[in-house]
Amino acid sequence: MSERSEPISGAAPPVTPPDEEGPANAVRDAVADDAGPLGAVLGRAFADDPVWQWMFPRHPERMGSMFVMLLRHAHLPNGVSELAEQDGRIVAGAMWDPPGRWRISLATQLRQLPGLVRVLGGRTLTVLRGLGEVERAHPIEPHWYLAVLGTEPQAQGLGLGSALLRSRLTRCDERRFPAYLESSKESNVPYYERFGFRVTGEIRMPGDGPRLWPMWRNPQ
């Protein structure tokens, strides 16, 4: 579930604008040691996201723990996620999965289950049903999957999310692979459309929950 939030208040220190060489120079591969700080950044980035608010209506402070768990168990092991830094501090991240690797294995799901129960509590079964809806809508054709794109609230608007997108999409185009994401905010759909993504439908979370907009991008 990818998003690009509008600026909101947060606890992180202020971020300075990128230098004249642009934010793309700050992009690098994410590694295992980045899970903690990157998860915290994503937790703040998604604090106003309707889907994540639906998942954590009572304990929004647990969002960061959820991202850390997803990074450690599901995405970082694939070795293709990236992040952006300024002054040595992580300020944005893109959680990607390569073709054929987007589905979380049963073994990984079992490893995650105790952690999910800890962070989701009584919402666990409802959230798992919602994630099942997202998985059922996922296309079968081989593609790169952008699971999450988020930027520290104070760093939004500096082009770091765009730099992360271009880093992977350029390689998708070179190798003639499509890409796929779910936008968890309708207001972000035009942003992704500027990169060549197109809406293919809607996904509704259980219990008349929020919607997501699946988006597909052919190589350009």
Side-chain angles (χ1 to χ4, degrees), residues 7 13-16 18 86 89 91-92 151-161:
V15 177
T16 56
Q86 286 196 336
R89 183 166 60 85
V91 291
T151 302
E152 186 77 68
Q154 290 89 342
Q156 289 164 11
L158 302 182
L160 295 166

Side-chain angles (χ1 to χ4, degrees), residues 111-133:
R111 285 197 301 272
Q112 286 183 319
L113 187 58
L116 284 173
V117 173
R118 278 197 305 274
V119 299
L120 293 171
R123 298 283 295 167
T124 302
L125 292 180
T126 300
V127 170
L128 289 177
R129 285 200 300 271
L131 295 177
E133 292 294 326

Side-chain angles (χ1 to χ4, degrees), residues 3-189:
E3 80 139 30
R4 176 181 173 270
S5 297
E6 294 303 315
I8 59 173
S9 61
V15 177
T16 56
D19 60 28
E20 61 184 8
E21 294 183 355
N25 293 331
V27 172
R28 67 167 175 84
D29 292 339
V31 298
D33 288 345
D34 297 318
L38 178 54
V41 166
L42 295 174
R44 291 189 290 270
F46 280 77
D48 68 341
D49 180 84
V51 173
W52 282 81
Q53 289 179 339
W54 171 82
M55 292 169 64
F56 294 92
R58 298 181 182 88
H59 298 285
E61 74 281 357
R62 296 180 183 176
M63 289 184 191
S65 298
M66 182 76 165
F67 280 113
V68 171
M69 186 167 51
L70 291 173
L71 283 161
R72 286 177 174 161
H73 295 292
H75 300 290
L76 290 183
N78 287 332
V80 294
S81 293
E82 295 179 299
L83 57 80
E85 292 180 315
Q86 286 196 336
D87 300 323
R89 183 166 60 85
I90 296 171
V91 291
M95 293 160 59
W96 286 94
D97 295 314
R101 299 282 298 277
W102 61 268
R103 195 186 302 272
I104 299 176
S105 69
L106 178 59
T108 299
Q109 291 180 46
L110 292 174
R111 285 197 301 272
Q112 286 183 319
L113 187 58
L116 284 173
V117 173
R118 278 197 305 274
V119 299
L120 293 171
R123 298 283 295 167
T124 302
L125 292 180
T126 300
V127 170
L128 289 177
R129 285 200 300 271
L131 295 177
E133 292 294 326
V134 174
E135 183 172 313
R136 279 188 286 276
H138 206 112
I140 298 174
E141 180 183 343
H143 61 276
W144 280 84
Y145 175 46
L146 178 59
V148 172
L149 175 68
T151 302
E152 186 77 68
Q154 290 89 342
Q156 289 164 11
L158 302 182
L160 295 166
S162 297
L164 286 165
L165 272 175
R166 292 190 187 97
S167 175
R168 178 60 55 189
L169 293 178
T170 297
R171 284 172 280 183
C172 288
D173 293 341
E174 290 171 351
R175 299 171 189 176
R176 309 305 298 164
F177 268 108
Y180 174 76
L181 60 83
E182 302 104 0
S183 178
S184 48
K185 280 185 176 179
E186 188 173 16
S187 60
N188 290 335
V189 166

